[in-house]
């Protein structure tokens, strides 16, 4: 990286138009770039579990049929950074000093992004560049501890947690929507229910939905394994029914999620809002430890 950075530093001081420095090229990746992208992401398999999970499923770095693609940053022909561009922006081993040309390329696609998330420094650098291009954020979460657990949980798992079933879809979907709305401030059904419903259904069918429904059919707790590789799972969508909060139940449920995740991969990960002291304490009780910092920008 030293060679690349020596070129980038003077460029940052004198250019504000998003142009790449000499020798650096930003372009959309194709199938022939798959091995290079995978190798880049494997430099940090925890931070890059999103793109590694995509490659595991799709098998290629080429654009998807839904219109998502990966921008690659090349220095003298070598892939040195990347960024997923779909509904969201997700940097992959992207040096923050190269956020300018990546943001310019993402902006030129003419699409609206719901968020940017990933390692804090490149995400916040992308946000700064995109803001100058007119992409205003309605919230920036600067500090989201990235946490991992590479072993069994430290507390007894709650045995009531089970894999979600399609028979319970009509109960699970509203709980997922409630979690989403609490987290980002608007309903995932804006613009229609189909896309989000398919996402929830897919997680159930893959065995990545975890839920406890009580005798009354209420969802007490739910979570998903949102990104999965052979090495790492990333827990997402953690939600406790408000009727059952404050009872000290979350650690046992999270331990049960970890127990299920360890059947798939040896390392379990998650990231959490820095201001959520209660959740952080619960995760630490289960055995999670901080290994980095993510950030999320909500556009």
């Amino acid at each position: 990286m030293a060679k690349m950075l020596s070129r980038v530093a003077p460029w940052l001081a004198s250019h504000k138009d998003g142009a790449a420095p000499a020798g650096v090229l930003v372009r959309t990746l194709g199938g022939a770039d798959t091995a290079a992208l995978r190798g880049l992401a494997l430099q940090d398999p925890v931070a890059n579990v999103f793109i590694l999970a995509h490659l595991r499923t799709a098998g290629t770095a080429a654009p998807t049929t839904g219109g998502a693609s990966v921008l690659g940053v090349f220095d003298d022909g070598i892939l040195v950074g990347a960024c997923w561009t779909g509904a969201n922006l997700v940097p992959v081993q992207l040096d923050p000093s190269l956020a300018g040309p990546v943001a310019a390329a993402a902006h030129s696609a003419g699409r609206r992004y719901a968020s940017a998330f990933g390692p804090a420094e490149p995400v916040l650098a992308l946000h700064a560049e995109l803001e100058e291009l007119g992409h205003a954020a309605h919230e920036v979460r600067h500090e989201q501890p990235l946490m991992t657990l590479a072993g069994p949980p430290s507390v007894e798992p709650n045995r009531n947690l089970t894999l979600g079933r399609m028979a319970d879809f009509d109960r699970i979907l509203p709980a997922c929507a409630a979690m989403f709305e609490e987290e980002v401030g608007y309903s995932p059904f804006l613009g229609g229910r189909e896309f989000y419903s398919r996402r929830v259904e897919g997680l159930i069918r893959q065995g990545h939905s975890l839920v406890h429904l009580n005798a009354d059919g209420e969802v007490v707790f739910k979570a998903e394994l949102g990104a999965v590789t052979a090495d790492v799972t990333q827990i997402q969508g953690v939600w406790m029914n408000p009727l059952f909060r404050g009872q000290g139940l979350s650690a046992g449920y999270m331990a049960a999620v970890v127990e299920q995740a360890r059947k798939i991969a040896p390392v379990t990960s998650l990231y959490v809002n820095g201001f959520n002291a209660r959740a952080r304490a619960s995760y630490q009780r289960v055995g999670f430890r901080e290994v980095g910092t993510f950030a999320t920008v909500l556009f």
Side-chain angles (χ1 to χ4, degrees), residues 46-281:
V46 171
N48 298 319
V49 65
F50 174 88
I51 195 65
L52 288 168
H54 168 72
L55 290 175
R56 185 187 193 201
T57 301
T60 179
T64 70
T65 55
S69 62
V70 181
L71 293 172
V73 183
F74 292 83
D75 184 24
D76 282 348
I78 299 172
L79 184 67
V80 295
C83 186
W84 169 268
T85 61
N88 309 295
L89 296 169
V90 186
V92 180
Q93 298 300 110
L94 181 66
D95 192 284
S97 58
L98 286 176
V102 172
H107 173 72
S108 70
R111 67 189 306 164
R112 181 177 180 181
Y113 302 101
S115 73
F117 64 86
E121 290 189 0
V123 165
L124 297 175
L126 282 170
H127 164 53
E129 297 289 347
L130 287 166
E131 193 171 41
E132 290 193 8
L133 294 169
H135 297 257
H138 74 81
E139 186 175 356
V140 180
R141 299 177 183 179
H142 296 83
E143 182 188 355
Q144 297 176 304
L146 176 63
M147 310 179 79
T148 62
L149 176 54
S154 302
V155 301
E156 182 67 22
N158 188 320
R159 301 300 173 186
N160 291 312
L161 193 74
T162 62
L163 295 178
R165 305 180 305 154
M166 282 306 301
D168 298 316
F169 177 79
D170 289 341
R171 294 182 174 91
I172 295 172
L173 179 62
C176 292
M179 177 282 306
F180 186 99
E181 190 160 355
E182 281 186 32
E183 181 67 18
V184 302
Y186 59 86
S187 170
F189 300 140
L190 287 178
R193 297 170 63 95
E194 184 179 358
F195 177 80
Y196 190 73
S197 296
R198 284 204 313 268
R199 168 66 174 164
V200 174
E201 179 180 341
L203 289 165
I204 295 172
R205 293 191 184 280
Q206 293 165 29
H208 295 167
S209 168
L210 300 163
V211 64
H212 173 210
L213 282 84
N214 64 16
D216 296 324
E218 299 172 297
V219 174
V220 179
F221 174 93
K222 70 95 190 169
E224 290 83 44
L225 305 181
V228 174
T229 72
D231 302 309
V232 182
T233 60
Q234 186 179 89
I235 300 170
Q236 298 175 358
V238 177
W239 183 80
M240 179 79 74
N241 187 320
L243 295 175
F244 300 94
R245 294 175 187 174
Q247 300 179 29
L249 299 174
S250 62
Y253 282 121
M254 287 301 297
V257 175
V258 170
E259 192 174 62
Q260 183 64 35
R262 292 185 70 235
K263 297 177 182 178
I264 301 172
V267 177
T268 309
S269 72
L270 57 83
Y271 61 100
V272 57
N273 290 319
F275 55 78
N276 195 340
R278 180 174 293 182
R280 292 173 68 176

